[in-house]
Amino acid sequence: MSYQQTLDFLYAQLPMFHRIGAMAYKKDLGNTYALLEYLGNPQQKFQSIHVGGTNGKGSTSHMLSAILQAKGFKTGLYVSPHYRDFRERIKINGQYVSRQYVIDFVEKMKPVIAEVQPSFFELTVAMAFDYFAQRKVDVAVIEVGLGGRLDSTNVITPVLSVITNISFDHMQFLGDTLPEIAAEKAGIIKPNVPVVIGETHPESAPVFIATAKEKNAPISFADQHVQVNILAENLSHSYFEVKKDGLVLYPDLAANLHGDYQLLNVQTVLQAVASLPKAWSIDDRAITTGLKDLVPLTRFMGRWQVLGQKPTIIADSAHNEAGIQLAMQQLAKIPRQKLHLVIGVLRDKDLAKMLPQLPADGIYYFAKPDIPRGLEAEVLQKAASEQGRKGRAYSSVKNALNAARRHAQKDDLIYVGGSIFVLAEIL
């Protein structure tokens, strides 16, 4: 098969959560273990860092990978979902897995695929672990897909676990309360393995503390040790002042990323680095170089990404209540005349909580993300209108963005978001 035929096979044959939702969700790790057993348990052949949480885990994973690369480690990075190219999910030192490897892996696995009938995510996790083992990475940063306890990535024993934060998302699988969601996320905490929690929340912190105590896992909360303040920002970098336990560590730390919400992720990353094995000797140069060169080192994309100027066009991946709230707080700080918002969401999102976070004075362009889980533009338009957010429905994300460009003046601002899959169509 060609590369495209291989992807078509994966998409057609294997249930894919990000496309179809609950039908693809597996409630145990049996399939993942079966695939890995067939491959000789590659997850046991490299060191790893496991990154979970509700929001920020992709940014955190990329930053950790960049710092490890800057230190000189051959670094694997597994993230999900992808924006444009399936191979974005599996990288070593910023280079995508080769098309030929994807073809050969799927061909090799066809007999076991027929026997085990894994989900798309389960097979992709196995592919990543096999690739990292074959290429003999020094360490791999592994982003959790959904939840933690039952996520397919939760078959590793990492040197460090990281949980960025807890907020409401995927409640149909993880629970309706923050403690319930935290309990699922805490499932990645392993016996005797340090865990860093990014944000202290009164409802989730006791869950993490109790789980860590039960597992004899040293625990620290990043926001209780590290404080990050933004000093300045331009189109290429943000500049931060970093304090740890009251002492200034970095008076002017440049990072190749944008968005005030990244302050929390930088805090988490710096505490995570401090919690890595001392023998790794992650020094200040690796930290400053990794963050400054984040994009070229890892091909980081989709988070507060500037797509154009006059008018300014910003694309962002925020896709749940907490993420949208932070993004809109950031958006409110940008000088502009009129605000145009190109918005699409998935149909299992909680519109009653998401829509009120969006500004009432914006001009809206609604579109359905081009996947089966996408919410029809007309349904979103009606729900938004009932919340006082007025706009038109369009036949595609690209058409919605083109309409926003036509209507916007050079001093206006265009925001594109609501779902990773909206960005996937325009990046």
Side-chain angles (χ1 to χ4, degrees):
M1 294 188 296
S2 68
Y3 176 65
Q4 188 56 54
Q5 287 170 330
T6 300
L7 293 186
D8 292 343
F9 170 82
L10 291 176
Y11 295 147
Q13 298 295 319
L14 307 182
M16 185 179 179
F17 174 78
H18 286 107
R19 292 180 63 81
I20 65 175
M23 289 185 293
Y25 183 64
K26 303 295 180 67
K27 295 186 177 181
D28 64 70
L29 300 176
N31 284 357
T32 304
Y33 279 119
L35 295 173
L36 294 172
E37 182 72 24
Y38 180 84
L39 293 165
N41 289 309
Q43 77 280 11
Q44 298 173 2
K45 298 175 182 177
F46 54 86
Q47 297 185 102
S48 59
I49 299 169
H50 207 186
V51 182
T54 302
N55 292 313
K57 57 184 182 287
S59 297
T60 298
S61 296
H62 279 82
M63 283 187 259
L64 285 171
S65 178
I67 290 167
L68 293 167
Q69 288 174 237
K71 179 59 185 175
F73 288 114
K74 186 175 184 180
T75 307
L77 176 61
Y78 176 76
V79 296
S80 63
H82 62 270
Y83 289 93
R84 297 177 297 194
D85 186 336
F86 167 83
R87 298 179 304 138
E88 295 166 25
R89 295 169 178 258
I90 305 170
K91 293 178 274 194
I92 296 177
N93 286 357
Q95 298 302 307
Y96 295 164
V97 59
S98 71
R99 291 181 175 88
Q100 192 60 51
Y101 174 83
V102 176
I103 294 168
D104 293 344
F105 180 87
V106 173
E107 192 63 39
K108 173 179 71 175
M109 295 295 286
K110 277 187 175 178
V112 75
I113 289 172
E115 179 184 344
V116 174
Q117 297 187 324
S119 70
F120 175 92
F121 190 78
E122 288 166 338
L123 187 72
T124 304
V125 167
M127 183 188 299
F129 292 173
D130 184 62
Y131 186 64
F132 296 154
Q134 284 194 27
R135 297 302 187 271
K136 295 180 169 56
V137 299
D138 296 315
V139 59
V141 181
I142 308 297
E143 181 194 1
V144 171
L146 192 159
R149 182 175 64 92
L150 298 176
D151 187 75
S152 295
T153 64
N154 200 30
V155 294
I156 57 176
T157 301
V159 299
L160 177 68
S161 303
V162 179
I163 301 173
T164 56
N165 55 48
I166 300 298
S167 56
F168 291 105
D169 203 5
H170 301 300
M171 285 91 79
Q172 69 270 44
F173 308 115
L174 306 182
D176 295 323
T177 69
L178 291 180
E180 287 176 332
I181 296 170
E184 290 296 316
K185 305 283 186 183
I188 71 169
I189 299 175
K190 301 295 193 302
N192 305 308
V193 174
V195 58
V196 170
I197 311 299
E199 299 174 42
T200 307
H201 190 285
E203 291 187 63
S204 60
V207 176
F208 294 135
I209 292 169
T211 305
K213 183 177 180 181
E214 176 190 337
K215 301 284 182 68
N216 195 36
I219 185 171
S220 60
F221 290 81
D223 58 358
Q224 295 180 21
H225 295 279
V226 181
Q227 179 186 351
V228 180
N229 298 310
I230 193 161
L231 299 176
E233 186 175 16
N234 58 38
L235 291 176
S236 61
H237 288 85
S238 296
Y239 296 88
F240 305 110
E241 177 190 66
V242 179
K243 296 180 180 179
K244 183 166 185 179
D245 298 327
L247 300 175
V248 176
L249 285 185
Y250 305 100
D252 193 13
L253 180 67
N256 193 192
L257 46 72
H258 299 281
D260 286 358
Y261 58 81
Q262 295 289 7
L263 294 173
L264 302 173
N265 297 327
V266 171
Q267 284 179 180
T268 303
V269 166
L270 293 175
Q271 183 64 19
V273 169
S275 304
L276 289 171
K278 300 301 181 188
W280 289 23
S281 301
I282 309 297
D283 53 16
D284 286 354
R285 186 203 61 81
I287 292 171
T288 55
T289 301
L291 294 181
K292 179 174 64 69
D293 296 336
L294 174 66
V295 172
L297 284 172
T298 67
R299 303 197 191 189
F300 182 68
M301 69 174 82
R303 283 78 165 185
W304 212 258
Q305 187 169 341
V306 178
L307 301 183
Q309 299 180 50
K310 295 185 180 181
T312 300
I313 304 173
I314 293 172
D316 190 66
S317 296
H319 56 273
N320 54 40
E321 177 189 2
I324 292 288
Q325 184 180 45
L326 288 172
M328 293 305 104
Q329 289 172 1
Q330 173 89 11
L331 200 64
K333 298 178 181 179
I334 301 176
R336 42 84 178 176
Q337 291 297 317
K338 292 182 179 179
L339 175 61
H340 306 258
L341 298 100
V342 177
I343 301 293
V345 303
L346 302 184
R347 62 171 178 257
D348 52 7
K349 296 300 180 181
D350 190 342
L351 295 183
K353 291 183 177 179
M354 283 180 65
L355 289 173
Q357 309 301 328
L358 297 171
D361 64 343
I363 303 166
Y364 285 86
Y365 307 75
F366 301 108
K368 173 183 177 292
D370 189 22
I371 60 171
R373 275 176 73 210
L375 181 68
E376 288 72 16
E378 292 77 14
V379 175
L380 178 59
Q381 177 194 30
K382 183 175 184 296
S385 179
E386 291 171 356
Q387 297 272 5
R389 277 70 178 166
K390 305 294 185 182
R392 291 183 56 186
Y394 291 83
S395 59
S396 72
V397 171
K398 286 185 178 179
N399 286 344
L401 178 56
N402 287 337
R405 282 181 165 133
R406 286 196 305 271
H407 293 135
Q409 303 298 311
K410 65 181 179 66
D411 292 328
D412 290 353
L413 175 60
I414 300 174
Y415 174 86
V416 185
S419 169
I420 289 171
F421 299 99
V422 169
L423 271 62
E425 297 181 46
I426 52 95
L427 288 181

